[in-house]
Amino acid sequence: MTTSPTNRNILISGASVAGPALAYWLHRYGFTPTIVERAPALRDGGHAVDFRGEAHLTVLRRMGILDAVEAARTRMGATWYVNSAGKRLAGMPADLFAGDVEILRGDLARILYDATAQHTEYIFGDSITAMREDGDGVHVTFEHAPPRRFDLVIGADGIHSKVRSLAFGPESRYFKHLGLHCAIFTTPNHLGLQYTALAYSTPGKLVSIYSARHNTEAKAVLWFASPSTDYHRHDIARQKEILADTFRGNGWESDPLLVAMWDSPDFYFDAIGQVHMDTWTTGRTALLGDAAYSPSPLSGMGSGLALVGAYILAGELATTHGDHRTAFPAYEQQMRGYAQKCMKMGEGVSKFMVPQSRAMAWFLRQNYKLMPYLPGKSLMAKGARKTAESISLKPYTL
Ligand SMILES: Cc1cc2nc3c(=O)[nH]c(=O)nc-3n(C[C@H](O)[C@H](O)[C@H](O)COP(=O)(O)OP(=O)(O)OC[C@H]3O[C@@H](n4cnc5c(N)ncnc54)[C@H](O)[C@@H]3O)c2cc1C
């Protein structure tokens, strides 16, 4: 960027994928990003996330982190459906669904943090409590830090975004529950899995375990069908109790996993849903990633979408020398169709992933057995790649 931008001081809420990716680009364009993250330290944990197609890989390459992401790829092989005795019933090779690069969310967050920590002020263990906008900035108050002024505020704080609730109103207006909850935690690889996932399905529940970090540990992922539950989002003990009540006596590895869960170094639990909004920006505030357009984990698109969104939002701010009145509509205009297509990938998936009846579970298992041999077997992976590539990225060479 040749001239110094206006609106230089930008506060970003959330240090997972979208926030640090945005900070990376903002710094490159001459802005000064600050990130506030509610967790006391960078959050590890979470499932594997996929990048697929040229758009995702191009952003990673332009950020200079593609090699690091590839070095940390999971190299995951087949997923096997098992019965209650652990007998393998049907196997699905990884290439049926996988993207070009799969990486654990926690590893990705670490790479993004390392790429930004030197030139980004990170404030951990804090949260915005109020924002008051006036003619030339936003007065922000925090739970702990003293109040500060910023030129712009970006909410990259996930599906339960605080910035969204402050600037756009309550979550209930935007969050669409998809009928499932999901818990993910790290556990010892006690089954000795080698780049493999096992999955055990009972009506309305799915338990899966896969080896991670080159088989040195495993991830347990427990899905269950449930309406929007009234649990406290920050009450992890309560969330673990809900999980224990739901899966106790469910068979296969359910009970041992429920025991291991209490000692796990990380624990992620959330309702599975999407965020639908007519607009993602207002005044000097914009939303990014899951906060604005979460396609849900069922889509396999959340991290790629967040990364592309960060690239475009920062690029438009740079092009307009920080004029948010022009940059924000341009960001919305470029992202809208793409985000909608990515969201479609997450719709209707839950009933296949977690079938509610025995008959449906049986029917799907027969299909899984046949799937590797069907001529259209890679249609899903191809469809996902086509969607992920359905955006052309401006070069933003400033
Ligand atoms: C610990 C964790 C595990 C995850 N596991 C999975 C998974 O297994 N599968 C999957 O598909 N997706 C998972 N996700 C979501 C996935 O990371 C996102 O869908 C995607 O990467 C888009 O990222 P995002 O940065 O927009 O949102 P997120 O990754 O959700 O990040 C939001 C960040 O904002 C922080 N935050 C929340 N509230 C506040 C606040 N008030 N103030 C400051 N910071 C706040 C959160 O702690 C988090 O670090 C997980 C997210 C987290 C945080």
Side-chain angles (χ1 to χ4, degrees), residues 235-297:
D235 188 346
I236 288 177
R238 178 72 198 113
Q239 294 167 5
K240 288 182 174 176
E241 278 166 17
I242 293 172
L243 209 63
D245 291 346
T246 308
F247 284 91
R248 194 174 295 116
N250 179 56
W252 187 53
E253 290 290 325
S254 305
D255 286 338
L257 285 179
L258 292 179
V259 174
M261 154 184 95
W262 292 96
D263 294 326
S264 173
D266 51 35
F267 183 79
Y268 174 76
F269 181 96
D270 215 333
I272 300 299
Q274 296 187 323
V275 173
H276 292 262
M277 302 183 78
D278 292 335
T279 180
W280 307 316
T281 62
T282 177
R284 291 175 170 273
T285 301
L287 301 176
L288 174 67
D290 274 10
Y293 32 74
S294 169
S296 92

Short mmCIF file of all heavy atoms in Angstrom, two decimals, residues 235-297:
data_model
loop_
_atom_site.label_atom_id
_atom_site.label_comp_id
_atom_site.label_asym_id
_atom_site.label_seq_id
_atom_site.Cartn_x
_atom_site.Cartn_y
_atom_site.Cartn_z
N ASP A 235 -20.37 -23.43 30.40
CA ASP A 235 -20.36 -24.38 31.50
C ASP A 235 -19.96 -25.76 30.98
O ASP A 235 -20.80 -26.61 30.65
CB ASP A 235 -21.75 -24.41 32.15
CG ASP A 235 -21.76 -25.23 33.42
OD1 ASP A 235 -20.78 -25.98 33.66
OD2 ASP A 235 -22.75 -25.15 34.17
N ILE A 236 -18.65 -25.99 30.92
CA ILE A 236 -18.15 -27.22 30.31
C ILE A 236 -18.57 -28.44 31.13
O ILE A 236 -18.90 -29.50 30.58
CB ILE A 236 -16.63 -27.13 30.12
CG1 ILE A 236 -16.35 -26.13 28.99
CG2 ILE A 236 -16.01 -28.48 29.77
CD1 ILE A 236 -14.93 -25.86 28.70
N ALA A 237 -18.57 -28.30 32.46
CA ALA A 237 -18.98 -29.44 33.31
C ALA A 237 -20.40 -29.86 32.96
O ALA A 237 -20.71 -31.06 32.83
CB ALA A 237 -18.86 -29.07 34.78
N ARG A 238 -21.28 -28.89 32.78
CA ARG A 238 -22.67 -29.21 32.43
C ARG A 238 -22.75 -29.88 31.05
O ARG A 238 -23.51 -30.82 30.84
CB ARG A 238 -23.50 -27.91 32.47
CG ARG A 238 -24.95 -28.06 32.08
CD ARG A 238 -25.79 -28.77 33.14
NE ARG A 238 -27.05 -29.26 32.60
CZ ARG A 238 -27.36 -30.55 32.48
NH1 ARG A 238 -26.54 -31.50 32.87
NH2 ARG A 238 -28.52 -30.91 31.97
N GLN A 239 -21.95 -29.39 30.12
CA GLN A 239 -21.94 -29.97 28.78
C GLN A 239 -21.48 -31.43 28.84
O GLN A 239 -22.03 -32.30 28.16
CB GLN A 239 -21.01 -29.17 27.86
CG GLN A 239 -21.51 -27.76 27.61
CD GLN A 239 -20.45 -26.87 26.98
OE1 GLN A 239 -19.36 -27.30 26.65
NE2 GLN A 239 -20.77 -25.60 26.83
N LYS A 240 -20.48 -31.70 29.68
CA LYS A 240 -19.99 -33.07 29.81
C LYS A 240 -21.06 -33.97 30.43
O LYS A 240 -21.22 -35.14 30.06
CB LYS A 240 -18.70 -33.11 30.64
CG LYS A 240 -17.51 -32.52 29.87
CD LYS A 240 -16.22 -32.59 30.67
CE LYS A 240 -15.05 -32.13 29.83
NZ LYS A 240 -13.77 -32.09 30.54
N GLU A 241 -21.81 -33.42 31.37
CA GLU A 241 -22.90 -34.20 31.97
C GLU A 241 -23.96 -34.54 30.92
O GLU A 241 -24.48 -35.66 30.87
CB GLU A 241 -23.57 -33.40 33.10
CG GLU A 241 -22.82 -33.48 34.41
CD GLU A 241 -23.32 -32.41 35.39
OE1 GLU A 241 -24.42 -31.84 35.18
OE2 GLU A 241 -22.58 -32.13 36.35
N ILE A 242 -24.27 -33.58 30.06
CA ILE A 242 -25.27 -33.83 29.00
C ILE A 242 -24.79 -34.96 28.11
O ILE A 242 -25.53 -35.89 27.76
CB ILE A 242 -25.51 -32.54 28.16
CG1 ILE A 242 -26.19 -31.47 29.00
CG2 ILE A 242 -26.34 -32.85 26.91
CD1 ILE A 242 -26.30 -30.11 28.32
N LEU A 243 -23.50 -34.91 27.78
CA LEU A 243 -22.93 -35.94 26.92
C LEU A 243 -22.98 -37.31 27.60
O LEU A 243 -23.35 -38.32 26.99
CB LEU A 243 -21.47 -35.56 26.61
CG LEU A 243 -20.95 -36.05 25.27
CD1 LEU A 243 -21.72 -35.42 24.12
CD2 LEU A 243 -19.46 -35.75 25.13
N ALA A 244 -22.61 -37.33 28.89
CA ALA A 244 -22.61 -38.59 29.63
C ALA A 244 -24.03 -39.15 29.70
O ALA A 244 -24.26 -40.35 29.48
CB ALA A 244 -22.04 -38.37 31.03
N ASP A 245 -25.02 -38.30 29.99
CA ASP A 245 -26.41 -38.78 30.07
C ASP A 245 -26.88 -39.31 28.73
O ASP A 245 -27.68 -40.25 28.66
CB ASP A 245 -27.34 -37.63 30.50
CG ASP A 245 -27.08 -37.23 31.95
OD1 ASP A 245 -26.40 -38.02 32.65
OD2 ASP A 245 -27.53 -36.14 32.36
N THR A 246 -26.41 -38.71 27.65
CA THR A 246 -26.88 -39.10 26.32
C THR A 246 -26.25 -40.41 25.85
O THR A 246 -26.91 -41.23 25.21
CB THR A 246 -26.56 -37.98 25.30
OG1 THR A 246 -27.06 -36.75 25.81
CG2 THR A 246 -27.19 -38.25 23.94
N PHE A 247 -24.97 -40.63 26.16
CA PHE A 247 -24.25 -41.76 25.56
C PHE A 247 -24.00 -42.92 26.52
O PHE A 247 -23.49 -43.95 26.09
CB PHE A 247 -22.92 -41.27 24.96
CG PHE A 247 -23.12 -40.53 23.66
CD1 PHE A 247 -23.31 -39.16 23.64
CD2 PHE A 247 -23.15 -41.22 22.46
CE1 PHE A 247 -23.51 -38.48 22.45
CE2 PHE A 247 -23.36 -40.56 21.26
CZ PHE A 247 -23.54 -39.18 21.25
N ARG A 248 -24.36 -42.76 27.79
CA ARG A 248 -24.12 -43.85 28.75
C ARG A 248 -24.84 -45.12 28.28
O ARG A 248 -26.02 -45.07 27.90
CB ARG A 248 -24.63 -43.44 30.14
CG ARG A 248 -24.15 -44.34 31.23
CD ARG A 248 -24.57 -43.80 32.60
NE ARG A 248 -23.95 -42.52 32.94
CZ ARG A 248 -24.62 -41.37 33.12
NH1 ARG A 248 -25.93 -41.33 33.00
NH2 ARG A 248 -23.97 -40.28 33.45
N GLY A 249 -24.12 -46.25 28.23
CA GLY A 249 -24.73 -47.52 27.83
C GLY A 249 -25.05 -47.62 26.36
O GLY A 249 -25.77 -48.52 25.92
N ASN A 250 -24.49 -46.72 25.54
CA ASN A 250 -24.79 -46.70 24.10
C ASN A 250 -24.05 -47.78 23.33
O ASN A 250 -24.35 -48.04 22.18
CB ASN A 250 -24.41 -45.30 23.56
CG ASN A 250 -24.65 -45.14 22.09
OD1 ASN A 250 -25.77 -45.35 21.61
ND2 ASN A 250 -23.62 -44.80 21.34
N GLY A 251 -23.08 -48.43 23.97
CA GLY A 251 -22.39 -49.53 23.28
C GLY A 251 -21.08 -49.11 22.64
O GLY A 251 -20.70 -47.95 22.64
N TRP A 252 -20.36 -50.12 22.14
CA TRP A 252 -19.02 -49.99 21.56
C TRP A 252 -18.12 -49.21 22.51
O TRP A 252 -18.04 -49.53 23.67
CB TRP A 252 -19.10 -49.38 20.15
CG TRP A 252 -17.77 -49.36 19.43
CD1 TRP A 252 -16.95 -50.43 19.24
CD2 TRP A 252 -17.12 -48.24 18.82
NE1 TRP A 252 -15.83 -50.04 18.55
CE2 TRP A 252 -15.90 -48.71 18.28
CE3 TRP A 252 -17.44 -46.89 18.68
CZ2 TRP A 252 -15.00 -47.87 17.62
CZ3 TRP A 252 -16.56 -46.05 18.02
CH2 TRP A 252 -15.35 -46.54 17.49
N GLU A 253 -17.47 -48.15 22.08
CA GLU A 253 -16.51 -47.43 22.92
C GLU A 253 -17.15 -46.28 23.69
O GLU A 253 -16.43 -45.44 24.27
CB GLU A 253 -15.38 -46.88 22.03
CG GLU A 253 -14.45 -47.94 21.47
CD GLU A 253 -13.58 -48.57 22.54
OE1 GLU A 253 -13.17 -47.87 23.48
OE2 GLU A 253 -13.30 -49.79 22.44
N SER A 254 -18.48 -46.21 23.68
CA SER A 254 -19.13 -45.02 24.28
C SER A 254 -18.73 -44.83 25.74
O SER A 254 -18.31 -43.73 26.14
CB SER A 254 -20.65 -45.14 24.19
OG SER A 254 -21.05 -45.34 22.87
N ASP A 255 -18.86 -45.87 26.56
CA ASP A 255 -18.59 -45.70 28.00
C ASP A 255 -17.12 -45.38 28.29
O ASP A 255 -16.85 -44.44 29.05
CB ASP A 255 -19.08 -46.92 28.79
CG ASP A 255 -20.61 -46.92 28.90
OD1 ASP A 255 -21.21 -45.84 28.75
OD2 ASP A 255 -21.20 -47.99 29.10
N PRO A 256 -16.15 -46.10 27.69
CA PRO A 256 -14.75 -45.71 27.93
C PRO A 256 -14.47 -44.26 27.49
O PRO A 256 -13.71 -43.54 28.17
CB PRO A 256 -13.95 -46.69 27.07
CG PRO A 256 -14.84 -47.87 26.88
CD PRO A 256 -16.24 -47.38 26.95
N LEU A 257 -15.08 -43.84 26.41
CA LEU A 257 -14.84 -42.45 25.97
C LEU A 257 -15.41 -41.44 26.96
O LEU A 257 -14.83 -40.38 27.20
CB LEU A 257 -15.43 -42.21 24.58
CG LEU A 257 -14.65 -42.82 23.42
CD1 LEU A 257 -15.35 -42.54 22.09
CD2 LEU A 257 -13.22 -42.28 23.37
N LEU A 258 -16.56 -41.79 27.54
CA LEU A 258 -17.16 -40.87 28.52
C LEU A 258 -16.25 -40.73 29.75
O LEU A 258 -16.19 -39.66 30.36
CB LEU A 258 -18.55 -41.36 28.94
CG LEU A 258 -19.62 -41.31 27.85
CD1 LEU A 258 -20.94 -41.85 28.39
CD2 LEU A 258 -19.82 -39.90 27.30
N VAL A 259 -15.55 -41.80 30.08
CA VAL A 259 -14.60 -41.72 31.21
C VAL A 259 -13.42 -40.84 30.80
O VAL A 259 -13.02 -39.93 31.52
CB VAL A 259 -14.12 -43.14 31.62
CG1 VAL A 259 -13.03 -43.04 32.67
CG2 VAL A 259 -15.29 -43.97 32.13
N ALA A 260 -12.88 -41.12 29.59
CA ALA A 260 -11.70 -40.37 29.12
C ALA A 260 -12.00 -38.88 28.95
O ALA A 260 -11.11 -38.04 29.13
CB ALA A 260 -11.22 -40.95 27.79
N MET A 261 -13.22 -38.56 28.62
CA MET A 261 -13.62 -37.17 28.37
C MET A 261 -13.25 -36.24 29.53
O MET A 261 -12.84 -35.10 29.31
CB MET A 261 -15.12 -37.17 28.13
CG MET A 261 -15.87 -35.92 28.42
SD MET A 261 -17.63 -36.20 28.16
CE MET A 261 -18.18 -36.63 29.79
N TRP A 262 -13.37 -36.76 30.77
CA TRP A 262 -13.14 -35.88 31.94
C TRP A 262 -11.68 -35.46 32.06
O TRP A 262 -11.36 -34.44 32.64
CB TRP A 262 -13.63 -36.56 33.23
CG TRP A 262 -15.13 -36.69 33.21
CD1 TRP A 262 -15.84 -37.78 32.83
CD2 TRP A 262 -16.09 -35.67 33.52
NE1 TRP A 262 -17.20 -37.52 32.89
CE2 TRP A 262 -17.38 -36.22 33.32
CE3 TRP A 262 -16.00 -34.34 33.95
CZ2 TRP A 262 -18.55 -35.51 33.53
CZ3 TRP A 262 -17.17 -33.62 34.16
CH2 TRP A 262 -18.42 -34.21 33.95
N ASP A 263 -10.77 -36.27 31.47
CA ASP A 263 -9.34 -35.95 31.56
C ASP A 263 -8.80 -35.31 30.28
O ASP A 263 -7.61 -35.05 30.17
CB ASP A 263 -8.51 -37.22 31.81
CG ASP A 263 -8.82 -37.81 33.18
OD1 ASP A 263 -9.09 -37.01 34.09
OD2 ASP A 263 -8.83 -39.05 33.30
N SER A 264 -9.66 -35.11 29.31
CA SER A 264 -9.18 -34.61 28.03
C SER A 264 -8.61 -33.19 28.17
O SER A 264 -9.17 -32.37 28.91
CB SER A 264 -10.34 -34.61 27.03
OG SER A 264 -9.92 -33.98 25.86
N PRO A 265 -7.53 -32.89 27.45
CA PRO A 265 -6.95 -31.54 27.55
C PRO A 265 -7.80 -30.48 26.84
O PRO A 265 -7.60 -29.28 27.03
CB PRO A 265 -5.59 -31.69 26.84
CG PRO A 265 -5.78 -32.84 25.89
CD PRO A 265 -6.76 -33.77 26.56
N ASP A 266 -8.72 -30.91 26.00
CA ASP A 266 -9.57 -29.94 25.29
C ASP A 266 -10.97 -30.54 25.19
O ASP A 266 -11.16 -31.75 25.29
CB ASP A 266 -9.01 -29.65 23.89
CG ASP A 266 -8.72 -30.93 23.10
OD1 ASP A 266 -9.47 -31.91 23.26
OD2 ASP A 266 -7.75 -30.95 22.33
N PHE A 267 -11.93 -29.70 25.03
CA PHE A 267 -13.30 -30.20 24.91
C PHE A 267 -14.10 -29.14 24.17
O PHE A 267 -14.13 -27.98 24.57
CB PHE A 267 -13.90 -30.44 26.31
CG PHE A 267 -15.29 -31.02 26.28
CD1 PHE A 267 -15.49 -32.37 26.05
CD2 PHE A 267 -16.40 -30.20 26.47
CE1 PHE A 267 -16.77 -32.91 26.02
CE2 PHE A 267 -17.68 -30.73 26.43
CZ PHE A 267 -17.87 -32.09 26.21
N TYR A 268 -14.68 -29.55 23.06
CA TYR A 268 -15.50 -28.63 22.26
C TYR A 268 -16.89 -29.20 22.21
O TYR A 268 -17.08 -30.40 21.94
CB TYR A 268 -14.90 -28.53 20.86
CG TYR A 268 -15.71 -27.71 19.88
CD1 TYR A 268 -15.72 -26.33 19.93
CD2 TYR A 268 -16.46 -28.34 18.89
CE1 TYR A 268 -16.46 -25.58 19.01
CE2 TYR A 268 -17.21 -27.59 17.97
CZ TYR A 268 -17.19 -26.23 18.04
OH TYR A 268 -17.93 -25.49 17.14
N PHE A 269 -17.88 -28.39 22.50
CA PHE A 269 -19.27 -28.87 22.49
C PHE A 269 -20.12 -27.74 21.94
O PHE A 269 -19.99 -26.59 22.37
CB PHE A 269 -19.69 -29.18 23.93
CG PHE A 269 -21.11 -29.70 24.07
CD1 PHE A 269 -21.36 -31.07 24.13
CD2 PHE A 269 -22.19 -28.83 24.15
CE1 PHE A 269 -22.66 -31.56 24.27
CE2 PHE A 269 -23.49 -29.31 24.29
CZ PHE A 269 -23.72 -30.68 24.35
N ASP A 270 -20.95 -28.05 20.98
CA ASP A 270 -21.80 -26.97 20.48
C ASP A 270 -23.00 -27.54 19.73
O ASP A 270 -22.99 -28.70 19.30
CB ASP A 270 -21.01 -26.05 19.54
CG ASP A 270 -21.46 -24.60 19.68
OD1 ASP A 270 -22.65 -24.38 20.05
OD2 ASP A 270 -20.66 -23.70 19.45
N ALA A 271 -24.00 -26.71 19.60
CA ALA A 271 -25.12 -27.01 18.73
C ALA A 271 -24.61 -26.87 17.30
O ALA A 271 -23.74 -26.04 17.02
CB ALA A 271 -26.25 -26.03 18.98
N ILE A 272 -25.14 -27.69 16.41
CA ILE A 272 -24.74 -27.60 15.02
C ILE A 272 -25.78 -26.75 14.28
O ILE A 272 -26.97 -27.07 14.29
CB ILE A 272 -24.66 -29.01 14.39
CG1 ILE A 272 -23.63 -29.86 15.15
CG2 ILE A 272 -24.34 -28.94 12.91
CD1 ILE A 272 -22.22 -29.32 15.13
N GLY A 273 -25.30 -25.69 13.68
CA GLY A 273 -26.25 -24.82 12.99
C GLY A 273 -25.56 -23.88 12.04
O GLY A 273 -24.34 -23.89 11.89
N GLN A 274 -26.38 -23.08 11.38
CA GLN A 274 -25.86 -22.12 10.42
C GLN A 274 -26.25 -20.70 10.86
O GLN A 274 -27.20 -20.52 11.61
CB GLN A 274 -26.48 -22.37 9.04
CG GLN A 274 -26.11 -23.72 8.45
CD GLN A 274 -26.58 -23.88 7.02
OE1 GLN A 274 -27.66 -23.40 6.66
NE2 GLN A 274 -25.79 -24.57 6.21
N VAL A 275 -25.52 -19.74 10.35
CA VAL A 275 -25.85 -18.33 10.62
C VAL A 275 -26.32 -17.71 9.31
O VAL A 275 -25.61 -17.74 8.30
CB VAL A 275 -24.62 -17.58 11.17
CG1 VAL A 275 -24.92 -16.08 11.28
CG2 VAL A 275 -24.24 -18.15 12.54
N HIS A 276 -27.54 -17.21 9.33
CA HIS A 276 -28.11 -16.56 8.14
C HIS A 276 -28.39 -15.10 8.46
O HIS A 276 -29.15 -14.80 9.38
CB HIS A 276 -29.44 -17.22 7.75
CG HIS A 276 -29.28 -18.63 7.24
ND1 HIS A 276 -29.25 -18.93 5.91
CD2 HIS A 276 -29.12 -19.80 7.89
CE1 HIS A 276 -29.08 -20.24 5.75
NE2 HIS A 276 -29.01 -20.79 6.95
N MET A 277 -27.79 -14.20 7.70
CA MET A 277 -28.01 -12.76 7.92
C MET A 277 -28.20 -12.07 6.57
O MET A 277 -27.57 -12.46 5.59
CB MET A 277 -26.80 -12.13 8.62
CG MET A 277 -26.45 -12.74 9.95
SD MET A 277 -25.06 -11.88 10.73
CE MET A 277 -25.90 -10.41 11.36
N ASP A 278 -29.02 -11.02 6.55
CA ASP A 278 -29.21 -10.27 5.31
C ASP A 278 -28.04 -9.35 5.04
O ASP A 278 -27.75 -8.97 3.92
CB ASP A 278 -30.50 -9.44 5.38
CG ASP A 278 -31.71 -10.35 5.40
OD1 ASP A 278 -31.59 -11.48 4.90
OD2 ASP A 278 -32.75 -9.93 5.96
N THR A 279 -27.41 -8.89 6.11
CA THR A 279 -26.25 -8.02 5.94
C THR A 279 -25.23 -8.33 7.03
O THR A 279 -25.61 -8.74 8.14
CB THR A 279 -26.64 -6.52 5.97
OG1 THR A 279 -25.46 -5.74 5.79
CG2 THR A 279 -27.30 -6.13 7.28
N TRP A 280 -23.96 -8.17 6.72
CA TRP A 280 -22.89 -8.51 7.67
C TRP A 280 -22.16 -7.27 8.17
O TRP A 280 -21.16 -7.40 8.90
CB TRP A 280 -21.87 -9.44 7.01
CG TRP A 280 -22.46 -10.66 6.38
CD1 TRP A 280 -23.42 -11.47 6.92
CD2 TRP A 280 -22.11 -11.24 5.12
NE1 TRP A 280 -23.69 -12.50 6.07
CE2 TRP A 280 -22.91 -12.40 4.96
CE3 TRP A 280 -21.20 -10.91 4.11
CZ2 TRP A 280 -22.82 -13.21 3.83
CZ3 TRP A 280 -21.11 -11.72 2.99
CH2 TRP A 280 -21.91 -12.85 2.85
N THR A 281 -22.60 -6.11 7.75
CA THR A 281 -21.89 -4.90 8.16
C THR A 281 -22.89 -3.83 8.58
O THR A 281 -24.00 -3.76 8.05
CB THR A 281 -21.01 -4.34 7.02
OG1 THR A 281 -21.86 -3.98 5.92
CG2 THR A 281 -19.99 -5.36 6.53
N THR A 282 -22.49 -3.03 9.53
CA THR A 282 -23.30 -1.88 9.92
C THR A 282 -22.35 -0.82 10.47
O THR A 282 -21.52 -1.11 11.32
CB THR A 282 -24.40 -2.26 10.94
OG1 THR A 282 -25.09 -1.08 11.34
CG2 THR A 282 -23.84 -2.93 12.20
N GLY A 283 -22.46 0.39 9.95
CA GLY A 283 -21.57 1.46 10.41
C GLY A 283 -20.12 1.04 10.31
O GLY A 283 -19.64 0.62 9.26
N ARG A 284 -19.42 1.11 11.43
CA ARG A 284 -17.99 0.78 11.46
C ARG A 284 -17.72 -0.66 11.92
O ARG A 284 -16.61 -1.00 12.30
CB ARG A 284 -17.27 1.76 12.41
CG ARG A 284 -17.22 3.16 11.86
CD ARG A 284 -16.62 4.15 12.82
NE ARG A 284 -16.40 5.41 12.14
CZ ARG A 284 -15.31 5.71 11.44
NH1 ARG A 284 -14.30 4.87 11.41
NH2 ARG A 284 -15.21 6.87 10.83
N THR A 285 -18.76 -1.49 11.90
CA THR A 285 -18.62 -2.87 12.36
C THR A 285 -18.92 -3.84 11.22
O THR A 285 -19.86 -3.64 10.45
CB THR A 285 -19.63 -3.14 13.50
OG1 THR A 285 -19.34 -2.22 14.56
CG2 THR A 285 -19.53 -4.57 14.03
N ALA A 286 -18.09 -4.90 11.13
CA ALA A 286 -18.34 -5.95 10.13
C ALA A 286 -18.17 -7.30 10.79
O ALA A 286 -17.43 -7.44 11.77
CB ALA A 286 -17.37 -5.81 8.96
N LEU A 287 -18.86 -8.29 10.26
CA LEU A 287 -18.72 -9.67 10.74
C LEU A 287 -18.00 -10.50 9.69
O LEU A 287 -18.14 -10.25 8.48
CB LEU A 287 -20.10 -10.28 11.01
CG LEU A 287 -20.96 -9.56 12.05
CD1 LEU A 287 -22.33 -10.21 12.15
CD2 LEU A 287 -20.27 -9.54 13.41
N LEU A 288 -17.31 -11.51 10.19
CA LEU A 288 -16.45 -12.33 9.32
C LEU A 288 -16.50 -13.79 9.78
O LEU A 288 -16.58 -14.05 10.99
CB LEU A 288 -15.02 -11.79 9.43
CG LEU A 288 -13.90 -12.56 8.73
CD1 LEU A 288 -14.05 -12.48 7.22
CD2 LEU A 288 -12.53 -11.98 9.14
N GLY A 289 -16.41 -14.71 8.85
CA GLY A 289 -16.34 -16.14 9.20
C GLY A 289 -17.66 -16.62 9.79
O GLY A 289 -18.74 -16.16 9.42
N ASP A 290 -17.55 -17.57 10.72
CA ASP A 290 -18.76 -18.18 11.30
C ASP A 290 -19.71 -17.14 11.90
O ASP A 290 -20.92 -17.35 11.92
CB ASP A 290 -18.38 -19.17 12.40
CG ASP A 290 -18.08 -20.55 11.84
OD1 ASP A 290 -18.00 -20.69 10.61
OD2 ASP A 290 -17.94 -21.50 12.64
N ALA A 291 -19.19 -16.06 12.43
CA ALA A 291 -20.04 -15.02 13.04
C ALA A 291 -21.05 -14.50 12.02
O ALA A 291 -22.19 -14.18 12.36
CB ALA A 291 -19.17 -13.87 13.56
N ALA A 292 -20.64 -14.44 10.76
CA ALA A 292 -21.49 -13.86 9.72
C ALA A 292 -22.23 -14.90 8.91
O ALA A 292 -23.42 -14.75 8.61
CB ALA A 292 -20.62 -13.03 8.77
N TYR A 293 -21.52 -15.98 8.53
CA TYR A 293 -22.11 -16.92 7.57
C TYR A 293 -21.62 -18.34 7.85
O TYR A 293 -21.07 -19.00 6.96
CB TYR A 293 -21.78 -16.51 6.13
CG TYR A 293 -20.43 -15.82 5.96
CD1 TYR A 293 -19.24 -16.53 6.02
CD2 TYR A 293 -20.35 -14.45 5.75
CE1 TYR A 293 -18.01 -15.92 5.87
CE2 TYR A 293 -19.13 -13.81 5.61
CZ TYR A 293 -17.96 -14.54 5.66
OH TYR A 293 -16.74 -13.92 5.52
N SER A 294 -21.81 -18.80 9.08
CA SER A 294 -21.39 -20.16 9.39
C SER A 294 -22.18 -21.15 8.54
O SER A 294 -23.40 -21.20 8.60
CB SER A 294 -21.63 -20.49 10.87
OG SER A 294 -21.45 -21.88 11.05
N PRO A 295 -21.48 -21.97 7.77
CA PRO A 295 -22.21 -22.97 6.97
C PRO A 295 -22.45 -24.25 7.75
O PRO A 295 -23.05 -25.17 7.22
CB PRO A 295 -21.23 -23.23 5.82
CG PRO A 295 -19.88 -22.97 6.39
CD PRO A 295 -20.03 -21.99 7.51
N SER A 296 -21.95 -24.31 9.00
CA SER A 296 -22.02 -25.46 9.91
C SER A 296 -20.89 -26.45 9.61
O SER A 296 -20.45 -26.57 8.46
CB SER A 296 -23.36 -26.20 9.87
OG SER A 296 -23.32 -27.25 8.94
N PRO A 297 -20.47 -27.19 10.63
CA PRO A 297 -19.41 -28.18 10.41
C PRO A 297 -19.82 -29.25 9.40
O PRO A 297 -18.97 -29.90 8.81
CB PRO A 297 -19.22 -28.81 11.80
CG PRO A 297 -19.76 -27.83 12.76
CD PRO A 297 -20.85 -27.09 12.04
#
